[in-house]
Amino acid sequence: QFPLQESGGGLVEPGGSLRLSCAASGFSLDYYAIGWFRQSPGKEREGVICIGSGNGTTYYSDFAKGRFTMSRDDALNTAQLQMNNLKPEDTGDYYCAIGNHCGPGIMPNPLRSWGRGTQVTVSS
């Protein structure tokens, strides 16, 4: 009931940048906290960054601090994840997700919906 679609993934060299986008359809993002999580091969799902609803606080995972930023545009029903200085360990599938608020693990909580993900590969 809360469709989300990610885009913008791809292959990038270490040190490069990518900008991921998340588009919501059929509902208004402004009522929800929105965040990104990633799933890397052989690793647990981990929260990347999360913004509370409205002009909410932004929460960063330790690995995202200083490299990743997130913005939301509730008027356009979109959110973006800007990733700079990418490292090979950032490789994985990135998902945008919504919840009532930003919770433990830098994850929207409770997790109400998430998209199908976009693949990010950081390799030379």
Side-chain angles (χ1 to χ4, degrees):
Q1 294 91 349
F2 304 103
L4 298 167
Q5 184 164 1
E6 304 89 346
S7 60
L11 172 64
V12 63
E13 293 185 349
S17 298
L18 278 176
R19 186 175 179 85
L20 307 184
S21 294
C22 175
S25 60
F27 71 100
S28 294
L29 267 180
D30 54 0
Y31 297 117
Y32 299 98
I34 184 165
W36 293 83
F37 67 87
R38 69 187 187 185
Q39 182 77 57
S40 305
K43 294 184 180 180
E44 296 284 327
R45 182 182 69 186
E46 53 185 352
V48 179
I49 194 168
C50 185
I51 299 180
S53 61
N55 284 326
T57 302
T58 303
Y59 300 88
Y60 298 85
S61 62
D62 287 343
F63 62 80
K65 290 176 183 175
R67 299 192 298 132
F68 297 179
T69 57
M70 181 178 173
S71 60
R72 60 186 296 166
D73 188 332
D74 291 340
L76 295 179
N77 240 16
T78 60
Q80 286 75 39
L81 175 64
Q82 177 68 40
M83 304 188 293
N84 298 325
N85 190 22
L86 283 161
K87 303 175 181 180
E89 52 264 43
D90 294 317
T91 294
D93 294 323
Y94 283 70
Y95 302 82
C96 67
I98 59 168
N100 293 354
H101 54 84
C102 296
I106 318 296
M107 290 285 292
N109 185 269
L111 204 57
R112 301 290 296 272
S113 180
W114 59 95
R116 294 186 175 183
T118 185
Q119 188 173 53
V120 171
T121 303
V122 185
S123 175
S124 55

